Amino acid sequence: MNEIPHVNETVKQTDIGKKAEVNGQTDSWDTIPDTIKELLAVPPLLPHENEKAFLDLFESFRSYAEPENIVDYHLVFNATVCKWETVRYRFMATAVTSNQQQAGLKSLFMQTHGSASIPGAEKVVTMDAAEKARRCFTDPEYCEEAYTDLELMGYIPDGQAFLLSLPALATIERLAASAEKRYAASIKELEKRRADRAAKRRLTLGQSVNGDSKEANK
């Protein structure tokens, strides 16, 4: 997720209206209900998230679902938010694990410390392990040597960071599953509504054709 560019109202209208502009039509922003415009004007994003990407995602769902009324548009917006949340949670899962790298290294340095089994040496071991872990992030050569030593002892440093992250990752996974469930429900309802409209159009067209045929046979 990239740094958010400044997106003013004019830029938003241009982004949302891309498809219509390509076809030489009036900017399709005008077809969006005002309540949805208000939601899009202040999208539910974190500071580091890309507003234009969110609007592009909304437009992709709008193009797919072909909304025709306020309920359709709210479903499109909900689908956009839910899918965005899933992407956010996947990003956060990676960030959480990355944030545990230093703690994971400290844990392994404590376990493999030469004085780890000496009674009363806990404080010294902890301080030494913390210093080694910090050094791994400032000294590439030392880090490479430390990783090699740990791997020779049967440890995979990234695995320790992952292990420390598991409680948070379990919570994130539940959040992602919930977002995907809500996304699927929105898409299912949108597809049903679109199919119902198509069926009604076919029925109307069929009735019109039958009526024309009867008139022609008179």
Side-chain angles (χ1 to χ4, degrees), residues 61 64-79 82 180-198 200:
F61 284 130
Y64 170 75
E66 299 175 346
E68 294 185 357
N69 56 50
I70 187 63
V71 175
D72 292 342
Y73 270 100
H74 272 292
L75 286 169
V76 169
F77 183 79
N78 287 340
C82 292
E180 276 297 299
K181 185 176 181 180
R182 288 181 280 114
Y183 163 76
S186 295
I187 291 296
K188 183 178 180 180
E189 181 62 22
L190 279 168
E191 290 178 338
K192 178 181 180 299
R193 294 172 69 85
R194 187 176 64 173
D196 289 344
R197 289 197 299 270
K200 289 178 181 178

Side-chain angles (χ1 to χ4, degrees), residues 117-134:
S117 60
I118 299 177
E122 290 86 355
K123 185 175 181 179
V124 173
V125 170
T126 299
M127 292 177 61
D128 191 29
E131 177 57 32
K132 288 180 178 179
R134 283 193 294 270

